[in-house]
């Protein structure tokens, strides 16, 4: 079966979620094991980032002297070439999901457009393959495989590369976060005010950008890379360092997989540039730029979604919303995401303390509580953006639901504030926490005032 699939060219179309899930299992990113029975190395499975690896002067002579790795700048392949690039093919058979789990995953995929979709449960049901399974399903649901004449095996290979380039040891910036953002993006693409204007290219760009927007994230933010003189900070001249890296890594994987190799060169170049524009829009340093522009469009009522440029702008806004939508989820899921992103902050703070660096704001577990961080984040980052998104959608049912969850979750965090901070936690976030640099970002050091967060 595997041999047949590898020789097969052209598209593979499925009409229901059952076949989508089974296809993903057959094509296989589930628990590859080596001959020793030990789980094989995966991109994204290495230990938490070592401070020494961030110093670009320490091991510079070790890079790619024997064989060039196409995506050289990957944090993980900086020192570990992938098994596939080294020509080592797993010998053991694939371990497929059992039918009970397939049935539950299939049922969840039938409700992938609902806002209470539980991505944590879906990731467990797919054995850690939520991103691959979700994208295969959505590409089929939106008719993208047929429209762009994509080869299903090549598509799966590309999605596996993306999923494995997320670092699974990151509490927050991992493949589950990417799957969550992708599911949210799918919901936003279905908003009536937007959906009727979208082309297949718009939809594919939106889903791909959502899936890859944080690929190969190291679990530390841009200021950390700058003050440790990391080679990426030097390469991108301290400007949108990680967003540029996410974009370039994505382009490298697209080219390496040859997913779009059959399309005209001009079209693939346009896709690559638009993906970059979308991913770079998630830079928190540009938050005010996009928010001001959106407010102006809504005030002037001059958005023309028939125009490709206005449509692309709203895709950028949709991706920004999807990236920071965790506080707009139901409390049980929102709380998990909040704890995960703060754990990642605290790990960075511990690393900074260990190597006698100044601890970044909001990264000190002894001083910065999760409730105060989240209240600031919701007040200064999430609420302004989602109020404008609701205006754009005409206060759609989804927008009303998200704003309702946001208000409830903010009240929940306020109730969890230490007593001494509750009196100062009114409308301005209080608690001394200030705004979180959004749980989907890494670009700006967490700050304590609204002006600094911009």
């Amino acid at each position: 079966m595997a041999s047949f699939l590898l020789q097969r060219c052209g598209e593979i179309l499925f009409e229901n979620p059952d076949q989508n899930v089974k296809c993903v299992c057959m094509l296989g990113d589930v628990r590859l094991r080596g001959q020793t029975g030990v789980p094989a190395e995966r991109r994204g499975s290495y230990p938490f980032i070592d401070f020494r690896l961030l110093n670009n002067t320490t091991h510079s002579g070790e890079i790619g002297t024997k064989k060039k790795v196409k995506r050289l700048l990957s944090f993980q392949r900086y020192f570990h070439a992938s098994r596939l690039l080294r020509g080592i093919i797993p010998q053991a058979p694939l371990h497929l999901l059992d039918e009970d789990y397939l049935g539950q995953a299939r049922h969840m995929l039938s409700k992938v457009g609902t806002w209470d979709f539980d991505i944590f449960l879906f990731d467990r049901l797919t054995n850690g393959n939520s991103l691959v399974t979700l994208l295969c399903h959505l590409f089929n649901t939106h008719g993208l495989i047929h429209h762009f004449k994509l080869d299903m095996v090549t598509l799966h290979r590309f999605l596996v590369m993306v999923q494995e380039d997320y670092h699974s040891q990151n509490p927050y910036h991992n493949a589950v976060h990417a799957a969550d953002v992708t599911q949210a993006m799918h919901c936003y693409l279905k908003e009536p005010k937007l959906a009727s204007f979208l082309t297949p290219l718009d939809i594919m760009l939106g889903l791909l950008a959502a899936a890859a927007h944080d690929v190969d994230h190291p679990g530390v933010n841009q200021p950390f890379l700058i003050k440790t003189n990391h080679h990426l900070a030097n390469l991108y001249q301290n400007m949108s360092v990680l967003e540029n890296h996410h974009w370039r890594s994505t382009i490298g994987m697209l080219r390496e997989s040859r997913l779009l190799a059959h399309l005209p060169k001009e079209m693939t170049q346009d896709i690559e540039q638009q993906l970059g524009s979308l991913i770079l829009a998630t830079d928190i340093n540009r938050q005010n730029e996009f928010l001001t522009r959106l407010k102006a469009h809504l005030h002037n009522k001059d958005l023309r979604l028939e125009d490709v440029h206005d449509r692309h702008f709203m895709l950028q806004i949709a991706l920004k919303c999807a990236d920071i939508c965790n506080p707009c989820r139901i409390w049980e899921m929102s709380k998990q995401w909040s704890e995960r992103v703060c754990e990642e902050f605290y790990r960075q703070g511990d690393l900074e303390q260990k190597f006698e660096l100044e601890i970044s704001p909001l990264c000190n577990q002894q001083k910065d509580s999760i409730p105060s961080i989240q209240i600031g984040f919701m007040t200064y980052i999430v609420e302004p953006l989602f109020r404008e998104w609701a205006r754009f959608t005409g206060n759609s049912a989804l927008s009303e639901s998200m704003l309702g969850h946001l208000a409830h979750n903010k009240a929940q965090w306020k109730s969890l504030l230490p007593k001494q901070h509750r009196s100062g936690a009114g409308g301005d976030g209080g608690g001394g926490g200030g705004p979180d640099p959004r749980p989907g970002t890494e670009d700006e050091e967490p700050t304590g005032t609204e002006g600094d967060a911009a």
Side-chain angles (χ1 to χ4, degrees), residues 16 18 31-32 37 62-63 66 71 83 104 107 120 156 177 186 202-203 221 224 279 283 301-302 317 332 364 381 390:
N16 60 59
D18 183 4
R31 297 291 179 180
L32 299 180
E62 298 181 23
I63 306 175
K66 294 184 178 180
R71 298 190 306 286
R83 285 174 176 255
Q104 294 178 66
H107 176 70
F120 296 113
H156 180 269
H177 165 64
H186 169 64
D202 295 327
I203 295 171
N221 62 14
F224 184 91
I279 292 173
D283 186 347
K301 299 181 180 179
D302 59 359
I317 296 295
E332 291 75 17
N364 190 330
I381 305 297

Side-chain angles (χ1 to χ4, degrees), residues 75 213-223 225 230 232-233 236 239-249 279-280 282 441-443:
F75 284 92
H213 79 284
D214 273 330
V215 73
D216 200 31
H217 193 293
V220 292
N221 62 14
Q222 173 173 295
L225 299 181
H230 192 271
L232 287 181
Y236 296 116
M239 297 291 293
S240 299
V241 174
L242 285 169
E243 284 81 13
N244 270 299
H245 177 59
H246 304 323
W247 170 35
R248 300 295 182 179
S249 295
I279 292 173
L280 289 173
T282 63
T441 197
E442 61 285 321
D443 317 302

Side-chain angles (χ1 to χ4, degrees), residues 205-414:
L205 285 168
L207 294 177
L208 285 178
H213 79 284
D214 273 330
V215 73
D216 200 31
H217 193 293
V220 292
N221 62 14
Q222 173 173 295
F224 184 91
L225 299 181
I226 292 173
K227 65 187 177 184
T228 55
N229 197 31
H230 192 271
H231 70 282
L232 287 181
N234 295 326
L235 176 65
Y236 296 116
Q237 300 181 329
N238 301 341
M239 297 291 293
S240 299
V241 174
L242 285 169
E243 284 81 13
N244 270 299
H245 177 59
H246 304 323
W247 170 35
R248 300 295 182 179
S249 295
T250 303
I251 300 309
M253 287 183 281
L254 276 172
R255 293 178 180 179
E256 182 178 333
S257 68
R258 298 186 59 79
L259 176 65
L260 307 177
H262 61 290
L263 299 178
K265 183 178 180 180
E266 295 76 13
M267 186 177 186
T268 58
Q269 289 177 339
D270 180 57
I271 288 173
E272 291 178 357
Q273 290 302 312
Q274 290 201 61
L275 280 175
S277 177
L278 289 169
I279 292 173
L280 289 173
T282 63
D283 186 347
I284 196 61
N285 291 311
R286 303 178 67 192
Q287 183 80 356
N288 274 358
E289 170 196 337
F290 281 95
L291 191 57
T292 300
R293 185 177 166 191
L294 177 60
K295 286 180 177 179
H297 277 306
L298 295 175
H299 176 75
N300 298 328
K301 299 181 180 179
D302 59 359
L303 271 176
R304 300 290 179 264
L305 296 181
E306 302 89 347
D307 179 78
V308 63
H309 300 293
D310 283 1
R311 212 162 55 241
H312 183 78
F313 172 69
M314 288 315 302
L315 284 178
Q316 291 175 311
I317 296 295
L319 180 58
K320 289 177 70 66
C321 288
D323 195 18
I324 64 170
C325 73
N326 300 149
C328 300
R329 299 283 192 178
I330 62 173
W331 169 248
E332 291 75 17
M333 284 192 287
S334 179
K335 183 171 181 287
Q336 286 189 64
W337 285 121
S338 298
E339 292 169 345
R340 284 168 175 257
V341 73
C342 288
E343 172 61 23
E344 200 163 291
F345 287 164
Y346 297 152
R347 286 189 183 185
Q348 176 176 323
D350 292 344
L351 199 59
E352 290 166 333
Q353 184 177 36
K354 178 179 179 181
F355 292 97
E356 300 180 346
L357 299 170
E358 181 181 358
I359 298 179
S360 300
L362 304 190
C363 294
N364 190 330
Q365 190 168 6
Q366 306 306 315
K367 296 181 180 180
D368 306 309
S369 70
I370 298 177
S372 64
I373 291 173
Q374 291 307 306
I375 290 169
F377 170 51
M378 293 175 179
T379 301
Y380 298 120
I381 305 297
V382 182
E383 287 177 348
L385 181 60
F386 277 85
R387 281 198 297 264
E388 299 308 313
W389 176 258
R391 286 179 62 196
F392 165 72
T393 64
N395 295 310
S396 67
L398 175 57
S399 290
E400 292 288 344
S401 176
M402 290 192 298
L403 290 175
H405 289 313
L406 178 59
H408 172 74
N409 294 339
K410 187 174 179 180
Q412 288 285 93
W413 285 120
K414 284 184 179 181

